[in-house]
Amino acid sequence: MVKLNKIYTRTGDDGTTGLVDGSRVSKADPRMAAIGDVDEANSAIGLAVVALGGADAAGALTRIQNDLFDLGADLATPGEDFAPSEMTLRIVPVQVARLEAEIDAMNDTLAPLTSFILPGGSAPGAALHLARAIVRRAERTAIAAAAQVPLNPAALAYLNRLSDYLFVASRYVNQTAGGDVLWVPGGSRQ
């Protein structure tokens, strides 16, 4: 278990931060950029949870937030062995499969798309769209980091699937709050 008695340590004052194995890297390292974007995505999902109140989707999103902490730990663990262990958190394919199953279950209740949709619709839907956009950035920075250091392919797949999940979740919550806002190509031209 994690135990934090003191929040500041001053060890990062030189512009470095520690990885899980105790090694230190620059705070500007691509791996750290990915971890930071995952943290931002997690915070945006937290905002969506608050916007949803007690809706069913909030529980699944809280579980996803926990997964994202695990994913951050995964990204912060150097090495090429991506098998989880008692001391090593790794995202595993079953977590990606769970997202896929939940996407399919939500999508089965939705009308097919006839247009691209604008991010919005309702406060919870807009919060989910914002989280989706941030997850897409987290995926891009993780892929950029993976071009330089080995990263768990399941973690990358999780981020890819999570943006899909958040898109479908936004449509799912918007279906009872006025529906999707459709894009009208060239709609504001005169």
Side-chain angles (χ1 to χ4, degrees):
M1 253 315 150
V2 174
K3 184 178 179 182
L4 300 172
N5 289 329
K6 193 171 185 178
I7 300 304
Y8 63 89
T9 62
R10 297 187 178 114
T11 57
D13 290 352
D14 65 353
T16 65
T17 192
L19 297 177
V20 171
D21 68 354
S23 64
R24 297 196 68 78
V25 296
S26 167
K27 290 182 181 186
D29 186 272
R31 179 191 300 267
M32 296 315 302
I35 292 167
D37 285 349
V38 167
D39 183 40
E40 185 178 348
N42 203 343
S43 297
I45 291 171
L47 184 63
V49 168
V50 171
L52 283 163
D56 292 342
L61 289 169
T62 301
R63 187 203 67 248
I64 287 168
Q65 285 188 286
N66 194 77
D67 285 351
L68 288 177
F69 258 84
D70 291 352
L71 196 146
D74 189 331
L75 296 177
T77 304
E80 296 185 32
D81 178 5
F82 303 119
S85 70
E86 188 174 311
M87 297 302 294
T88 306
L89 284 170
R90 294 293 191 188
I91 295 297
V92 294
V94 71
Q95 290 169 288
V96 178
R98 185 185 63 240
L99 287 178
E100 291 172 351
E102 291 174 5
I103 290 167
D104 292 343
M106 287 186 291
N107 208 41
D108 284 345
T109 71
L110 300 172
L113 282 172
T114 59
S115 172
F116 288 109
I117 61 173
L118 302 179
S122 66
L128 288 163
H129 276 295
L130 178 61
R132 172 192 51 79
I134 295 169
V135 167
R136 286 202 190 276
R137 179 167 24 93
E139 180 186 12
R140 289 190 303 271
T141 56
I143 288 170
Q148 297 186 24
V149 296
L151 293 181
N152 182 358
L156 300 175
Y158 188 94
L159 288 171
N160 186 323
R161 216 65 79 248
L162 180 56
S163 62
D164 297 333
Y165 177 98
L166 294 168
F167 175 77
V168 174
S170 69
R171 294 194 68 221
Y172 182 78
V173 302
N174 279 341
Q175 75 180 338
T176 59
D180 295 322
V181 179
L182 299 180
W183 173 47
V184 179
S188 61
R189 289 189 292 201
Q190 300 257 340

